[in-house]
Amino acid sequence: MKLYGYFRSSASYRVRIGLALKGLGYDSVPVHLTRDGGEQHRDAYARLNPQKLIPVLVDRERAIPQSLAILEYLEERHPEPPLLPATAGERARVRSLALAVACDIHPLNNLRVLAYLTGELGIDEDAKLRWYRHWVAEGLGALEGALASSDETGRFCHGDRPTIADCCLVPQVFNARRFDCPLESYPTVIRIEAACLALPELERALPENQPDAKA
């Protein structure tokens, strides 16, 4: 397998965590999102993913974009250890937590949105940071409420085994720290993040351990 991604991309980070938890090997193919206008816009990459977004997982002859689609694919192709729980209701809860990050926080704050705010709309850096921190606070506040109020929350987002929800939570907190977002109001989120990062499997997935970070 090959994973096209960028070391600081939270969507790429999600997939790296899933691969790490399942013990799956892969070749990393860096796609620099800002160098020379963004390598994701080059013709060769656009043919691989017309959305010009990362990550993309290539397995045999199939190229799969979108991080949650990739995680679900890995779950079906390599079901052990599972990243989804046993029952339909539990799986729905895990997916809803994952989507709260992947659909409600991340899209408002990803690189192309921030670039549009400062470029096309002429918003200054302070206003951009206020935008970023507002939507992180909205999203993590809701996530904290959902996690703290449920007896299904355990050591991780759901029970005592990491799931797709944790694959999404950890990178979002990483990004929040990059932008100096206050995190004191989310003790459950931070506790779960710490439990995830304590897993030895996640060492390879860390942004600082990616080949393009070291380059």
Side-chain angles (χ1 to χ4, degrees):
M1 289 190 291
K2 291 182 180 180
L3 179 64
Y4 291 76
Y6 181 57
F7 75 104
R8 278 201 303 244
S9 157
S10 60
S12 300
Y13 194 3
R14 293 169 199 157
V15 176
R16 295 197 306 264
I17 292 172
L19 288 161
L21 291 172
K22 287 188 174 290
L24 297 172
Y26 62 95
D27 294 323
S28 179
V29 184
V31 180
H32 202 292
L33 296 183
T34 59
R35 182 185 296 145
D36 299 325
E39 293 176 353
Q40 70 275 23
H41 298 297
R42 292 179 178 176
D43 290 344
Y45 187 78
R47 287 193 294 272
L48 185 69
N49 181 9
Q51 286 185 294
K52 303 178 184 179
L53 298 173
I54 56 171
V56 170
L57 182 76
V58 176
D59 188 17
R60 300 183 177 91
E61 302 302 317
R62 183 172 295 277
I64 306 165
Q66 293 292 343
S67 60
L68 290 186
I70 295 169
L71 290 170
E72 293 268 4
Y73 173 81
L74 295 174
E75 182 72 357
E76 293 182 15
R77 289 276 296 151
H78 306 277
E80 296 296 332
L83 293 179
L84 287 170
T87 70
E90 290 175 304
R91 291 194 297 273
R93 178 177 185 264
V94 166
R95 288 181 174 118
S96 72
L97 293 170
L99 290 167
V101 173
C103 292
D104 295 333
I105 305 176
H106 174 252
L108 289 164
N109 287 328
N110 70 9
L111 178 64
R112 61 179 180 169
V113 170
L114 299 180
Y116 188 80
L117 289 173
T118 56
E120 237 6 79
L121 300 184
I123 290 174
D124 64 25
E125 188 68 15
D126 286 343
K128 183 190 82 171
L129 289 175
R130 288 199 304 274
W131 167 281
Y132 191 100
R133 291 164 184 163
H134 170 78
W135 293 115
V136 167
E138 287 283 313
L140 288 186
L143 194 62
E144 174 70 23
L147 292 167
S149 65
S150 174
D151 59 9
E152 292 184 293
T153 302
R155 183 183 174 201
F156 299 103
C157 286
H158 189 85
D160 294 323
R161 182 158 59 189
T163 65
I164 286 174
D166 302 281
C167 294
C168 292
L169 179 145
V170 170
Q172 186 58 59
V173 177
F174 167 80
N175 270 0
R177 285 201 174 93
R178 278 186 60 217
F179 285 85
D180 295 322
C181 298
L183 299 174
E184 298 82 8
S185 299
Y186 321 117
T188 312
V189 168
I190 299 308
R191 175 185 64 76
I192 292 170
E193 181 217 20
C196 291
L197 292 177
L199 297 171
E201 296 93 332
L202 262 65
E203 182 73 15
R204 186 184 180 190
L206 294 173
E208 61 265 30
N209 290 337
Q210 304 315 302
D212 46 335
K214 297 173 183 177

